[in-house]
Amino acid sequence: MAEGSAEAADKLVDSSGAEHLLDIWESDSDKPNNSGKHRLPRALDSSDSDSDTDGAKATWKSTPEDSKPKHRQVFFCSRTHSQLSQFVSELQRTSFADTIASVSLASRKALCVNDSVLKLGALSRINERCLDMLQAKPSKKQATGKSDQKPKARTAGGSCPFLRGKTKAKGNFKEAILAQPVDVEELGRLGRRKMVCPYYTARSAVPEAQLVLLPYSALLSQESRDSLGLHLKGSIIVVDEAHNLVDAVNGTHCAEVSVNQLNAAETQLTGYFERFRTRLASGNSRHIQALISLAKVLRSAVQVAKPEQQRVQTVNDFLFNSALDGVNMFKLLRYAKESKVLFKVAGYADSARQQSHSGLVEMHDQHSTGFTPPTGGHISALHALVGFMSGLTNADGDGRIILDPTACTLKFMLLNAAAHFSKVVEQAHAVVLASGTLSPIASLTRQLFLTLPPSAITHFSCGHVVPKQHLLALAVAQGPSGAALQLRHGERGSDSSLDEVGRLLLNICTCTPQGVVAFFPSFAHCEQLYTRWQKTGLLAQLSSKKAVFREPRAANEVDSMLQQYAQCIAQASAQQRPAADATASAVSPGNGAKHDSGSVGVCNGGLVLCVVGGKLSEGINFSDGFGRCVVMVGMPYPNPTDPELQERMRFMDTQQQQYVLKAACPANGEAQITPSLEAAMMSQSATFGCGSTGPALMSGSALGKGNHLTHAKGSTQTAGREYYEDLCMKAVNQCVGRVIRHRNDYAAIVLADARWGVGNAGVAPGGSHLPVGPLRKLPEWIQCSLTVCNTFGDAYGRLHRFHRQMLAATSPP
């Protein structure tokens, strides 16, 4: 580069570098800005400055007294904003809409109406940019702390026009959203129309609201609750779709970082440190170097691991093995969150990349520092590093570190969801977990309410709104040929099993009008079935009965598929051709019934092949003709060799042992170990092993054929085994719950697997109709209509009669 160009570049860097400088942070006292006051976490959005040239901060700032709720509040949270919008729509139809003050909360990304901020994309970038614009003031001191250096105003674009001088508009907007229930989408539209920030207006309305609507993430994270100014003390918390709650708690507090992200984070931090090292305060210098060292150590921990297996360690073991036990993670984490270091480093990296691409200047000598302007993803890399560091601050027994050298990742897995959710429970007056498919309940209670006595937990279950005769539930252990439906993981891929499932669906499609929805354990198995049916001609036979659709792997293709399916069902409904009349090609209800290879003249609806855990297994309603029958093919047990699952099961067994020991302790604190108690504890230790520093695959006595846990004869099911079974039944309940969505709806449910049979997992031998095994974990409204069939002929006859009767009952006179 020419000498003149280099001088121009240096001037450009000097003029723009001020905005990337950190404020003073004294590491010894942990008191930034030499003010004697801790900087509030960036999420709190407050400022201790009295200077406010445009009135934005004064307008939106609230005192602690202002943020306290005026009365007892109800917090209603659900998984997604669309589900909250449905709740708002229902609330608007009630008399409460005019009398209750409600407000909907969401992230800045969902509510921001400033397009220049929204274009940043990542939530973390939007948060930091918003906070920067909220302050929008000259810095009192630069990071050097030198008195002879003049502070430079920030050049990031000034304050937000939706915040500036909006006192009256804000007050009117707040009154408007409290007057009537408004969902997040409408809140954003109102904000644009009134030119007022909906995010901060909604937050300012929280103290006056009686009902607060918010997503899981806003409730489950302490940082998010502080950010939004939520006070849970004495409140009533209602969690909708609560069958997702444990996963949501675990997901909120787990963290994963890859080697690529660690490399990127180290590169960004090193480049920033080398660029500003002479201008950084000593506290900033030490903390940034500590972050750089942490990234190097974590990367090394993955790279030196043996590639043939995953390693599972406790938090303390990982810290000791990585020589990080001397690092104060709490102190370093607080610095990362409160100092704006991530935002400053990312901003500098952005600036370097943009100038490098424009050909104006290289912001630093790449050969001397190893700094290469990033091509993107740097903010996610920095946050991934800090997120994993946050995981390392958890109690040793509450989580595990999973080191995967194959995927080149480190992951913190939360095991004790109650450790975090208990903070919510302790503050609230009452917590209500609501769901249409909350069953099974036992493991949910164990994972979330460990510290509560049983007397503090009330379980209420009510029947379905539909009459009992509108539902037919069948457990089928045999296929149309009379062969057992062997659908364990190791057997379901055989040609005979694939053909038997095809014949099963063909018969069901023959006697079921309109739509049939079938769920399979995985995309791979669904693809295997489809390929086999194409080869044997079964797919052509199915297509002659109903149009066949498959759930796409890509989420953005699901809507298109559903539209085609809806058109098919609409055509079938318009034809008004009762399936009961098309019996010429149907099987007769008898033992070993088989399908006829002939085809009907008109396509009678559609068949959707779905996947458990896919987009269609939750949140999609197959009401009325869209789902006259739902078929659960197989039992969707998770992979028992998964290290995360093994650790979770081992953790639950350990908790169970501790609970048993505590119950056995008399007043003097000495446990009375009875022979039965000792046998139960020994059984668990022998099955799952002791310790938690490695994957330690479960022994053969704990595993049956395929991927289904079996119980030793005469043994009691442990908490870990119960949890494993619950995962399967939770998935089953979610899938079969897609049908029957209102009181006039009707549908059939078919559970197809040999493991549902008499004397196995279905009903007890001897003719008892009381479900045993996994079937006892079906919702009560399904159990009331459940029949376990000895043969497929029996099942087909019941299904045929059910649809014929329902068609007759619902057909217009």
Side-chain angles (χ1 to χ4, degrees):
M1 183 180 290
E3 184 177 351
S5 300
E7 292 177 359
D10 289 337
K11 291 181 180 179
L12 179 60
V13 171
D14 288 338
S15 64
S16 62
E19 68 177 282
H20 304 307
L21 284 173
L22 284 162
D23 292 335
I24 294 175
W25 184 281
E26 295 297 341
S27 65
D28 293 336
S29 61
D30 277 340
K31 294 179 180 179
N33 297 329
N34 289 338
S35 62
K37 298 180 180 179
H38 293 292
R39 181 199 301 275
L40 290 174
R42 296 299 302 159
L44 295 181
D45 304 349
S46 298
S47 171
D48 57 0
S49 171
D50 295 328
S51 171
D52 187 15
T53 57
D54 60 7
K57 285 176 292 179
T59 301
W60 300 97
K61 187 176 177 181
S62 61
T63 64
E65 290 75 17
D66 294 335
S67 64
K68 291 182 179 179
K70 304 298 188 289
H71 33 62
R72 189 190 299 277
Q73 293 181 313
V74 176
F75 292 92
F76 184 92
C77 63
S78 193
R79 191 169 57 93
T80 64
H81 288 300
S82 61
Q83 291 168 335
L84 290 172
S85 295
Q86 293 176 10
F87 176 81
V88 170
S89 298
E90 293 299 320
L91 181 61
Q92 290 171 342
R93 298 170 54 187
T94 69
S95 59
F96 296 105
D98 297 325
T99 59
I100 191 170
S102 66
V103 63
S104 296
L105 298 179
S107 66
R108 286 182 177 86
K109 188 172 184 178
L111 285 177
C112 180
V113 291
N114 188 329
D115 293 331
S116 66
V117 177
L118 280 176
K119 70 180 183 181
L120 296 174
L123 176 61
S124 54
R125 302 286 302 279
I126 292 174
N127 285 342
E128 292 289 0
R129 183 71 185 95
C130 175
L131 300 181
D132 208 42
M133 296 178 77
L134 181 67
Q135 292 188 354
K137 60 180 179 63
S139 179
K140 291 182 178 179
K141 283 188 177 182
Q142 297 299 330
T144 58
K146 297 179 180 179
S147 59
D148 60 342
Q149 188 168 5
K150 294 181 180 181
K152 297 181 179 181
R154 300 178 180 178
T155 59
S159 61
C160 179
F162 294 91
L163 294 174
R164 190 185 307 122
K166 300 290 184 179
T167 305
K168 184 176 179 181
K170 171 200 168 185
N172 294 337
F173 189 17
K174 182 171 75 171
E175 291 178 2
I177 64 177
L178 287 171
Q180 285 286 331
V182 178
D183 63 16
V184 170
E185 289 76 10
E186 181 61 23
L187 191 59
R189 288 191 290 267
L190 288 172
R192 282 189 180 275
R193 190 160 61 244
K194 295 178 179 293
M195 289 294 294
V196 178
C197 176
Y199 174 77
Y200 281 105
T201 303
R203 282 180 45 170
S204 67
V206 169
E208 299 176 38
Q210 297 168 286
L211 173 64
V212 181
L213 310 177
L214 67 168
Y216 283 170
S217 57
L219 175 74
L220 300 179
S221 168
Q222 179 68 54
E223 187 174 347
S224 295
R225 294 197 297 271
D226 292 341
S227 167
L228 295 170
L230 304 182
H231 296 268
L232 302 184
K233 184 71 174 179
S235 65
I236 298 171
I237 298 173
V238 181
V239 182
D240 188 30
E241 301 290 328
H243 55 273
N244 295 306
L245 184 56
V246 174
D247 292 338
V249 175
N250 291 333
T252 298
H253 299 282
C254 77
E256 185 172 15
V257 63
S258 67
V259 168
N260 288 338
Q261 288 174 321
L262 292 170
N263 284 332
E266 181 190 347
T267 300
Q268 314 314 318
L269 289 165
T270 301
Y272 181 87
F273 178 73
E274 292 296 331
R275 171 64 181 83
F276 296 104
R277 64 185 308 168
T278 61
R279 304 170 67 183
L280 290 172
S282 59
N284 285 320
S285 294
R286 284 193 291 270
H287 282 93
I288 291 175
Q289 291 180 81
L291 289 171
I292 294 172
S293 298
L294 177 63
K296 291 180 179 179
V297 171
L298 295 179
R299 181 187 61 199
S300 177
V302 180
Q303 292 176 336
V304 302
K306 296 180 180 180
E308 61 269 13
Q309 68 175 7
Q310 293 181 332
R311 292 178 57 195
V312 182
Q313 305 176 60
T314 64
V315 174
N316 285 348
D317 285 343
F318 177 79
L319 292 173
F320 280 113
N321 294 337
S322 303
L324 291 172
D325 50 300
V327 178
N328 189 333
M329 291 292 174
F330 293 93
K331 185 177 179 179
L332 191 57
L333 179 63
R334 198 181 89 189
Y335 170 78
K337 290 185 175 182
E338 297 181 15
S339 69
K340 291 187 66 178
V341 64
L342 302 188
F343 181 56
K344 295 293 187 179
V345 172
Y348 171 69
D350 264 345
S351 216
R353 175 174 56 84
Q354 292 169 7
Q355 295 188 29
S356 176
H357 287 176
S358 65
L360 293 177
V361 65
E362 286 190 1
M363 295 189 69
H364 200 64
D365 184 354
Q366 300 177 18
H367 298 288
S368 64
T369 67
F371 174 67
T372 302
T375 58
H378 41 274
I379 192 72
S380 61
L382 293 168
H383 278 270
L385 171 63
V386 174
F388 185 77
M389 182 169 58
S390 178
L392 295 177
T393 63
N394 280 267
D396 185 55
D398 288 347
R400 297 290 183 269
I401 304 298
I402 299 180
L403 192 158
D404 188 346
T406 303
C408 295
T409 58
L410 280 169
K411 180 177 182 179
F412 170 76
M413 174 185 65
L414 181 68
L415 295 176
N416 188 6
H420 293 275
F421 194 66
S422 62
K423 299 175 184 178
V424 175
V425 176
E426 289 168 359
Q427 295 181 66
H429 172 74
V431 176
V432 180
L433 306 186
S435 174
T437 52
L438 198 57
S439 298
I441 302 292
S443 66
L444 181 71
T445 303
R446 280 196 298 267
Q447 293 179 79
L448 293 178
F449 305 112
L450 272 176
T451 59
L452 291 183
S455 59
I457 302 174
T458 301
H459 177 211
F460 172 75
S461 178
C462 56
H464 207 289
V465 294
V466 301
K468 181 180 178 181
Q469 60 270 23
H470 280 212
L471 171 67
L472 175 69
L474 301 172
V476 182
Q478 294 182 359
S481 69
L485 293 169
Q486 300 295 350
L487 300 177
R488 299 177 187 271
H489 184 269
E491 301 171 88
R492 67 191 185 198
S494 66
D495 290 346
S496 58
S497 293
L498 298 175
D499 293 342
E500 198 67 14
V501 171
R503 288 190 285 267
L504 173 81
L505 290 177
L506 181 61
N507 279 268
I508 291 174
C509 289
T510 298
C511 67
T512 302
Q514 300 174 307
V516 175
V517 184
F519 284 95
F520 302 92
S522 67
F523 277 105
H525 183 50
C526 187
E527 181 66 30
Q528 192 178 28
L529 284 161
Y530 194 85
T531 302
R532 174 66 181 176
W533 296 343
Q534 282 180 317
K535 182 179 179 180
T536 62
L538 265 170
L539 183 60
Q541 296 180 51
L542 281 168
S543 299
S544 70
K545 304 292 183 181
K546 295 185 184 295
V548 180
F549 300 87
R550 286 189 294 172
E551 178 177 356
R553 289 178 182 266
N556 58 359
E557 298 176 6
V558 171
D559 289 342
S560 176
M561 186 277 293
L562 287 176
Q563 289 176 4
Q564 297 177 40
Y565 178 65
Q567 292 174 1
C568 181
I569 298 303
Q571 293 173 3
S573 302
Q575 292 167 3
Q576 294 184 345
R577 183 184 180 195
D581 295 340
T583 58
S585 60
V587 298
S588 58
N591 292 340
K594 299 181 180 181
H595 72 276
D596 184 9
S597 60
S599 62
V600 293
V602 180
C603 183
N604 183 33
L607 166 65
V608 186
L609 308 180
C610 309
V611 176
V612 176
K615 188 173 179 63
L616 299 182
S617 66
E618 184 169 354
I620 303 296
N621 298 332
F622 291 95
S623 59
D624 299 312
F626 294 101
R628 290 305 183 196
C629 181
V630 59
V631 185
M632 182 68 247
V633 179
M635 298 178 71
Y637 283 99
N639 181 4
T641 64
D642 177 46
E644 291 191 33
L645 174 62
Q646 292 180 350
E647 284 300 319
R648 208 170 291 282
M649 293 174 64
R650 187 180 291 114
F651 174 77
M652 291 183 175
D653 285 333
T654 301
Q655 283 188 315
Q656 186 182 51
Q657 291 180 18
Q658 294 173 349
Y659 179 81
V660 172
L661 281 174
K662 183 177 180 180
C665 288
N668 60 12
E670 296 181 2
Q672 303 297 319
I673 307 298
T674 63
S676 59
L677 176 60
E678 183 178 11
M681 294 173 60
M682 289 296 292
S683 173
Q684 291 183 36
S685 297
T687 301
F688 296 102
C690 298
S692 56
T693 58
L697 294 180
M698 290 176 286
S699 65
S701 62
L703 292 170
K705 297 179 181 179
N707 65 346
H708 173 46
L709 284 175
T710 57
H711 308 156
K713 187 175 181 179
S715 68
T716 303
Q717 191 170 15
T718 65
R721 292 175 178 177
E722 189 82 15
Y723 169 73
Y724 184 79
E725 187 177 86
D726 287 349
L727 289 176
C728 170
M729 292 308 299
K730 175 186 173 182
V732 170
N733 291 338
Q734 276 300 108
C735 292
V736 300
R738 298 305 90 213
V739 297
I740 305 190
R741 310 301 299 182
H742 59 85
R743 67 175 63 188
N744 295 320
D745 204 355
Y746 72 90
I749 295 172
V750 178
L751 306 174
D753 194 296
R755 287 167 286 183
W756 298 119
V758 175
N760 191 0
V763 295
S768 171
H769 292 287
L770 183 65
V772 298
L775 282 181
R776 76 187 189 282
K777 296 178 180 179
L778 289 170
E780 292 182 11
W781 62 273
I782 294 180
Q783 290 189 36
C784 294
S785 301
L786 177 66
T787 301
V788 178
C789 301
N790 293 325
T791 65
F792 178 76
D794 180 26
Y796 181 85
R798 294 175 183 274
L799 187 63
H800 183 275
R801 289 191 295 272
F802 171 76
H803 284 301
R804 184 174 58 188
Q805 292 169 1
M806 293 311 303
L807 283 168
T810 57
S811 298

